[in-house]
Amino acid sequence: MLYLASQSPRRRELLAHLGRPFGTLDIDVPEHRQPGEPPEDYVRRVAREKAGAGLLKVVAVPGARVLGADTEVVLGDEVFGKPSDADDAAAMLRRLSGRTHRVVSVVWLLSASREAQAVSISEVTFAALDDAVIAAYIATGEWQGKAGAYGIQGAAQAFVAHLSGSHSGVMGLPLYETARLLRDDGAMP
């Protein structure tokens, strides 16, 4: 049985596209970057901790496999997590305006006998965003619960001047990499 260690509706929707049945696990893992921890290492660690916490919940299920994922927006060495409020979200969008940032998405697949990971790094270039555009986007509420204060699958698509990488990875679960992990594990044809 495959489990997704996430309650994210976006991750559930994306994983469903692969056509394999799965259950979801509600896990709570602290997401705090350690001092001096490189952004990619941080995302890799958090994704692994999510998968590990999920595996602990289903360790008694024979053949259980758990997917854990984390996705963060990175500008330079700064990791933009989920904004704390509308002002924080607007500040993030102002910093991303007219610039190229990275979106790091890491997926871990854990079972009692095996673990594997995949990393997707995409580059996203935002158009210049004026205060009126940012305020209108903030008013939609779409920024809530999203790394970097935006969801590429919604109205923020209009901000993206260029994307190099994985659209689904920017959404929160890189499907190509996830499908490859499942195929290599024998969980998918």
Side-chain angles (χ1 to χ4, degrees):
M1 176 70 180
L2 178 65
Y3 294 92
L4 176 64
S6 174
Q7 288 299 309
S8 162
R10 289 169 306 286
R11 284 197 181 110
R12 285 194 311 260
E13 175 188 333
L14 287 165
L15 186 55
H17 289 309
L18 295 181
R20 189 181 189 293
F22 64 93
T24 57
L25 302 168
D26 189 9
I27 50 106
D28 186 25
V29 170
E31 297 184 31
H32 304 290
R33 187 174 172 202
Q34 302 301 318
E37 186 175 29
E40 288 84 2
D41 291 352
Y42 164 68
V43 179
R44 186 176 287 113
R45 178 179 56 80
V46 170
R48 172 64 175 79
E49 288 174 359
K50 289 177 179 180
L55 188 59
L56 287 175
K57 289 188 170 203
V58 296
V59 72
V61 177
R65 293 174 174 94
V66 177
L67 275 174
D70 191 46
T71 299
E72 298 293 345
V73 169
V74 180
L75 183 63
D77 188 53
E78 186 177 356
V79 175
F80 287 51
K82 297 174 182 120
S84 56
D85 57 27
D87 290 338
D88 190 26
M92 287 183 187
L93 293 173
R94 278 193 293 278
R95 298 268 326 278
L96 297 174
S97 173
R99 300 177 77 180
T100 299
H101 61 274
R102 290 176 291 143
V103 177
V104 179
S105 193
V106 178
V107 182
W108 279 89
L109 178 63
L110 300 183
S111 69
S113 61
R114 186 168 186 269
E115 59 181 71
Q117 66 168 316
V119 179
S120 169
I121 299 177
S122 301
E123 289 191 354
V124 180
T125 303
F126 267 17
L129 308 175
D130 63 29
D131 287 340
V133 168
I134 291 172
Y137 184 72
I138 296 301
T140 70
E142 250 185 40
W143 56 270
Q144 296 177 8
K146 294 186 177 70
Y150 76 93
I152 197 168
Q153 69 277 14
Q157 291 178 78
F159 303 164
V160 179
H162 184 77
L163 166 65
S164 176
S166 169
H167 187 268
S168 61
V170 176
M171 284 178 65
L173 188 70
L175 288 183
Y176 173 80
E177 291 82 355
T178 301
R180 191 180 73 232
L181 279 177
L182 293 171
R183 267 194 309 276
D184 289 351
D185 193 57
M188 276 188 68

